[in-house]
Amino acid sequence: MATQHTQPATGELIKTFRHGKFFVYFLVVLGIVCLALAGFVVYLSTIAPQKNPPLFFGTAGFLAFCGVCGLAASVWQKKLRQPSYEVYENGVAQIVGSQRQYTPFTDIEDLYLFSSGQTVMSGMATNLAYRRNAGEPFKWISQHLSGYMDFQQLFRELYLRERQPVVLETLARGGAVTFNYISTGQVWRKRVSGKFLNITTQPIVMTRDALEVQGQKVPLSSLRNVDLNAWSEKVVIKDAAGNTVLSTIGLGILGLDLFLNTLSLLLEQHQDAAARQSA
């Protein structure tokens, strides 16, 4: 009798992503070299003519400071680069040491993309963070992950593929789906302050017939324009009268791809229904 193999709940493993260790090693070597040079300068001060002792000890102190900072930074960077990630067909696993946390894409409510580093003002998504809901902390993946852009693209594609049917089913049953977003001002403040994950969100409540933003409920049938402005980074939604329903930086919407795709599908349904009625 043939044995039937069942597909694991995770689906097939697609790829594993890890952090490179070169920068950590560089910081360790830099720290050791600076401390060694500081010791050498102190030694020179004992054998060289004492014409300017403050110069020797000032130089040694500066080198020792750089050495300690380099070693401290290596410890910090090692901690940041410790997690690795396994991307499966149905979810993602974060691995830290012997601990492994698997999260199905269907359970992720908040997918947060943001800019940092040299590209902070460009709006390029160089960081990705995800969580099941607001009750748990974000898992943050930065551009320091080896192959980060491939990871981000794969994560976004699989998340949309897996999460989209769940959202559409909820809407079809007459339920509501909430997309969280942060204001444009908050996006810019995070880029300047660097405290990216300390965010205060506002809800966008979507049903199959309406969109509710900041307490204003607007029928989907009245929406006429969704503008994605690449220059300003903004997503602007207006109704038939030209009134702005939502205007915010796109990356400030958690689950931006899913939000735009779901809204587009609903608007198509309403346009098709209107066309059939007028035919």
Side-chain angles (χ1 to χ4, degrees), residues 228-271:
L228 308 178
N229 192 313
W231 183 81
S232 67
E233 305 177 48
K234 282 193 172 182
V235 173
V236 181
I237 301 175
K238 294 184 178 182
D239 62 15
N243 300 313
T244 300
V245 177
L246 174 68
S247 177
T248 189
I249 287 184
L251 292 184
I253 301 175
L254 309 190
L256 174 63
D257 302 327
L258 181 61
F259 171 76
L260 292 176
N261 205 60
T262 303
L263 182 60
S264 176
L265 291 172
L266 291 179
L267 290 177
E268 286 180 9
Q269 292 176 7
H270 279 273
Q271 290 169 0

Side-chain angles (χ1 to χ4, degrees), residues 31 33-35 37-39 41 58-68:
V33 169
C34 286
L35 289 175
L37 287 174
V41 171
T59 303
F62 175 73
L63 289 170
F65 174 76
C66 291
V68 171

Side-chain angles (χ1 to χ4, degrees), residues 108-156:
I108 297 174
E109 294 183 4
D110 291 337
L111 174 57
Y112 179 28
L113 303 170
F114 56 94
S115 304
S116 69
Q118 295 179 347
T119 62
V120 69
M121 305 306 290
S122 69
M124 181 183 297
T126 53
N127 296 261
L128 180 152
Y130 66 94
R131 64 185 182 187
R132 293 175 188 265
N133 51 59
E136 70 174 32
F138 278 108
K139 293 179 176 62
W140 178 9
I141 302 94
S142 74
Q143 59 188 328
H144 300 302
L145 185 73
S146 296
Y148 168 78
M149 296 308 296
D150 291 336
F151 172 84
Q152 183 194 128
Q153 181 178 357
L154 185 60
F155 194 111
R156 292 171 72 171

